Amino acid sequence: MTTLALSPARLRSASFLSGLREFLKHPGALAGTIVLAAFVVCAIFAPWLAPFDPSETDIGMRLGPPDAITWFGADIHGRDIFSRVIWGARYSLPVGFATLVVGLIIGGTFGVMLGYIGGRFDAIASRIIDVLLGFPSIVLAIMVVAVLGVGLVNVVVAVAIAEIPRFARVIRGAVLVAKQNLYVEAALAMGASSTRVMFLHILPAIMPTVIVLGTLNLGNAILSTATLSFLGLGAQPPAPEWGAMLNSGREYMRYAPWTMMAPGLALFLAVIAVNLIGDRLSEVIDPRNARRR
Amino acid sequence: MAFFLRRLLGIIPILFLTWTVVFVVFEFIPGDPVSLMMGGVPASDEVMANERARLGLDKPVLERYASFLGRAVVGDFGESYKARQPVTQMIREQIRPTLELAAGGLVVGLGLGLLLGVLAGLKPNSWLDTVCIFLALAGGSLPSFWSGMLLIYVFGTVLAWVPIVGSGFSALILPSIATGLFMAGDFARLVRSSIIDAMKQNYIRTAYAKGLAPIRIVGKHALRNALIPPITMLGIQLSTLIGGAVVTENVFARPGLGTMLVDAVLNKDMPLVQALIVYTTGVYVLVNLLVDLLYVLIDPRIKYARTPSR
């Protein structure tokens, strides 16, 4: 992964609005923003948007195919899949976001410390990070679930922990670059404390990196948490979480394929929207990431 | 050769660290291993104490750590709480289907990634490039459990082209595609930027000037050089592949290490979880070593005269 560090001046000089216009000029980013906004609306207004109660069962509707009333069909308990998918936005998006924030805060703290302190401490810790990077992140997350136990909150912690090494590595790189800035040297020469330099000088300088890293990994975070729920380690039925819905739908896939269509499509759309946004954002914030011409 | 030996020695601290991390993490797991082993069956204190002594759990932490390391060196991670078999043997019996799946996923992922990447990279910013890049992004956003289910439904149930369960080659096709699709995206992007770089090099201009056919220029000169960065990724992608196998095995109800891992976690079968994680890391470290050696074969310019800077 490239180190993405920029002077904060660049971020400030480009005004927010022109940045936004630049960002939305890209059709993919525009589409991604619209889709993501739609999901956010679903998450916020789920009780009003969903035509049925997501946990209301109806024996007569069991595995009913999509029709004018149940748009996406009904599941094994006769629950309306459309309503459940809308409610599902309340799970995957916040859970993915929470995972990301926890991972960034912890990984970022490690990264800043490693990059700032350097020396032997950095050398040893970086070796440990190398080892941790070796664990497939989903396996690492499963291991953490093994320790903490099954559940959605534990999945957030598990996926966040699994992301920490990668975040720490990238942010450490950004800090190493930011440290080279003259103003850091100047601040230190003026007798500023390490904490002050880290928070006032290093942190703003690595902010673009953090934002790009965050958006590029949000899709992954959503996918990983949904995957764990699918494996039965996260959200438990009857929660209308997309991964868990897919898990309970797969038994009936042969006769009722609609039980897996809508939740999977929703998950796919949410992740691709976030990834499109992340891609474009990294190009706008750091032009070095732009597609080479 | 000296480089190879040095790399081989470099593995030792990594393995040692992994073992330590695994030991420490599982030390902190709440719950008594012996009562987990009994599976909730009430047992007298005497039986529990005997079992604890048999497992060496009554010894102090440091002594257990030393014995754990000693046994880890010879690949002995104790026996499964649930199956009451040596975990190493259980893993050995299940490793084959996972390796097959990983290999299949790798073939699909590399093939597709290479195709998309080269198509995109040869004409940057053309419509073909845009389509390929979008496909790559879509592939990386596809939940592999969902694509697996779709594949099962379309090709297994509706069209009935391939068997859904079984152990033959034809039963490997769909799982490989599901695993590979996810990997192809990252790989395609890397190949693309790598090809764009390679096509700008002087030796490509020379090749054109010599009047070589474009297909030869791309196939022989550009591709060969463009493959170095993606191959570096290969080692890292291995973890994606293993992670993908865990999910794919689950979706396709295939036997294998991934299924074993999820079951072991659900059953709180800690020795099995420990062993699986240690072996996964071991394989990862080994493959990365192989990848390093592969560079030298592909690009003779890389000679490890000095320690590669990391």
Side-chain angles (χ1 to χ4, degrees):
Chain A
M1 193 172 282
T2 45
T3 47
L4 331 146
L6 273 185
S7 68
R10 159 163 255 154
L11 199 64
R12 254 176 253 141
S13 68
S15 82
F16 178 73
L17 271 181
S18 79
L20 190 68
R21 204 175 302 131
E22 180 71 11
F23 171 79
L24 290 175
K25 236 195 290 180
H26 190 266
L30 186 64
T33 310
I34 293 172
V35 172
L36 188 66
F39 277 118
V40 171
V41 169
C42 282
I44 296 174
F45 300 104
W48 294 277
L49 285 174
F52 296 97
D53 183 331
S55 48
E56 183 194 300
T57 57
D58 180 351
I59 304 295
M61 285 300 297
R62 289 177 70 167
L63 296 181
D67 56 29
I69 303 164
T70 56
W71 292 355
F72 294 164
D75 68 6
I76 184 65
H77 299 294
R79 294 174 297 204
D80 177 38
I81 292 179
F82 178 67
S83 304
R84 288 176 68 73
V85 167
I86 286 185
W87 277 84
R90 285 199 166 185
Y91 285 83
S92 286
L93 298 181
V95 162
F97 195 73
T99 304
L100 189 74
V101 170
V102 175
L104 273 180
I105 289 177
I106 303 177
T109 311
F110 276 122
V112 170
M113 273 163 44
L114 294 184
Y116 188 79
I117 299 173
R120 177 152 293 180
F121 168 64
D122 177 36
I124 294 172
S126 290
R127 290 309 291 168
I128 298 178
I129 288 179
D130 279 351
V131 175
L132 287 175
L133 279 172
F135 287 102
S137 66
I138 199 90
V139 173
L140 192 60
I142 290 177
M143 175 168 125
V144 178
V145 173
V147 175
L148 297 177
V150 166
L152 201 54
V153 176
N154 292 344
V155 160
V156 171
V157 177
V159 176
I161 290 179
E163 302 268 83
I164 287 173
R166 196 146 35 109
F167 290 165
R169 154 78 62 88
V170 175
I171 290 175
R172 170 185 169 269
V175 171
L176 285 181
V177 177
K179 222 166 66 168
Q180 307 291 322
N181 283 321
L182 216 53
Y183 56 77
V184 171
E185 208 175 305
L188 284 172
M190 280 163 63
S193 69
S194 286
T195 333
R196 191 183 159 85
V197 171
M198 273 194 239
F199 276 97
L200 279 177
H201 300 287
I202 304 268
L203 205 58
I206 62 167
M207 233 28 219
T209 310
V210 174
I211 293 171
V212 169
L213 187 67
T215 30
L216 285 178
N217 279 288
L218 180 58
N220 243 338
I222 294 177
L223 260 188
S224 303
T225 47
T227 302
L228 288 176
S229 287
F230 174 78
L231 293 175
L233 304 173
Q236 299 295 316
E241 200 272 348
W242 295 331
M245 284 171 75
L246 279 164
N247 188 22
S248 49
R250 63 172 154 173
E251 277 176 61
Y252 318 105
M253 199 171 83
R254 291 184 72 137
Y255 343 98
W258 51 87
T259 50
M260 60 144 187
M261 285 303 173
L265 194 65
L267 182 59
F268 175 51
L269 284 178
V271 175
I272 203 174
V274 169
N275 281 344
L276 280 168
I277 293 173
D279 250 26
R280 183 63 186 153
L281 202 62
S282 73
E283 286 177 10
V284 172
I285 291 188
D286 187 350
R288 276 176 308 170
N289 287 340
R291 289 212 232 157
R292 290 179 227 174
R293 303 188 182 239
Chain B
M1 203 56 210
F3 160 73
F4 180 71
L5 279 179
R6 200 164 36 224
R7 278 302 317 260
L8 214 55
L9 285 177
I11 287 181
I12 295 171
I14 297 183
L15 288 182
F16 180 74
L17 253 172
T18 317
W19 292 337
T20 308
V21 168
V22 166
F23 179 82
V24 170
V25 165
F26 285 90
E27 261 314 288
F28 285 113
I29 288 184
D32 175 34
V34 175
S35 43
L36 277 176
M37 228 174 141
M38 296 297 171
V41 180
S44 70
D45 288 348
E46 199 184 340
V47 173
M48 299 277 273
N50 278 341
E51 196 66 6
R52 197 163 284 137
R54 192 175 73 82
L55 292 169
L57 289 173
D58 50 352
K59 301 206 179 76
V61 173
L62 276 180
E63 201 172 316
R64 271 185 292 132
Y65 176 56
S67 99
F68 174 78
L69 284 186
R71 286 183 295 120
V73 171
V74 291
D76 173 11
F77 292 94
E79 63 180 35
S80 152
Y81 289 166
K82 188 150 173 126
R84 298 292 184 105
Q85 277 174 15
V87 286
T88 308
Q89 187 195 329
M90 291 170 70
I91 290 177
R92 208 174 292 145
E93 283 163 6
Q94 296 280 303
I95 200 163
R96 216 192 122 127
T98 302
L99 286 183
E100 286 172 355
L101 178 60
L106 193 64
V107 170
V108 174
L110 288 191
L112 211 62
L114 207 59
L115 183 73
L116 286 179
V118 170
L119 283 180
L122 284 182
K123 286 221 170 73
N125 297 316
S126 64
W127 63 267
L128 190 63
D129 180 28
T130 311
V131 169
C132 288
I133 280 301
F134 180 75
L135 285 180
L137 187 90
S141 310
L142 204 57
S144 59
F145 48 96
W146 187 53
S147 57
M149 290 166 87
L150 287 180
L151 287 169
I152 294 176
Y153 182 69
V154 175
F155 295 103
T157 308
V158 177
L159 299 172
W161 284 355
V162 282
I164 302 168
V165 285
S167 55
F169 175 73
S170 51
L172 191 62
I173 298 175
L174 294 185
S176 303
I177 296 176
T179 314
L181 272 183
F182 190 70
M183 213 186 120
D186 278 351
F187 196 67
R189 286 166 175 236
L190 213 65
V191 171
R192 174 183 177 276
S193 59
S194 194
I195 280 272
I196 293 178
D197 270 355
M199 290 303 279
K200 284 186 201 145
Q201 300 297 321
N202 280 334
Y203 53 75
I204 295 292
R205 201 175 312 150
T206 312
Y208 270 115
K210 279 201 302 191
L212 286 184
I215 182 98
R216 272 200 73 172
I217 295 174
V218 173
K220 196 164 170 219
H221 297 268
L223 206 56
R224 187 168 167 163
N225 288 288
L227 274 182
I228 296 166
I231 284 178
T232 327
M233 272 278 285
L234 213 57
I236 302 167
Q237 280 289 344
L238 180 79
S239 52
T240 317
L241 209 57
I242 297 173
V246 172
V247 179
T248 315
E249 280 174 8
N250 191 291
V251 175
F252 286 85
R254 280 173 62 86
L257 299 186
T259 308
M260 208 178 204
L261 178 66
V262 176
D263 286 346
V265 168
L266 287 174
N267 293 327
K268 302 204 165 192
D269 195 341
M270 292 313 162
L272 194 52
V273 178
Q274 266 182 339
L276 281 167
I277 286 167
V278 168
Y279 278 110
T280 312
T281 321
V283 170
Y284 177 84
V285 170
L286 265 182
V287 169
N288 274 295
L289 179 71
L290 287 179
V291 165
D292 276 2
L293 296 177
L294 212 60
Y295 298 150
V296 188
L297 291 181
I298 293 187
D299 188 348
R301 284 174 304 184
I302 301 178
K303 286 220 182 69
Y304 289 102
R306 278 169 290 147
T307 327
S309 56
R310 293 260 288 204

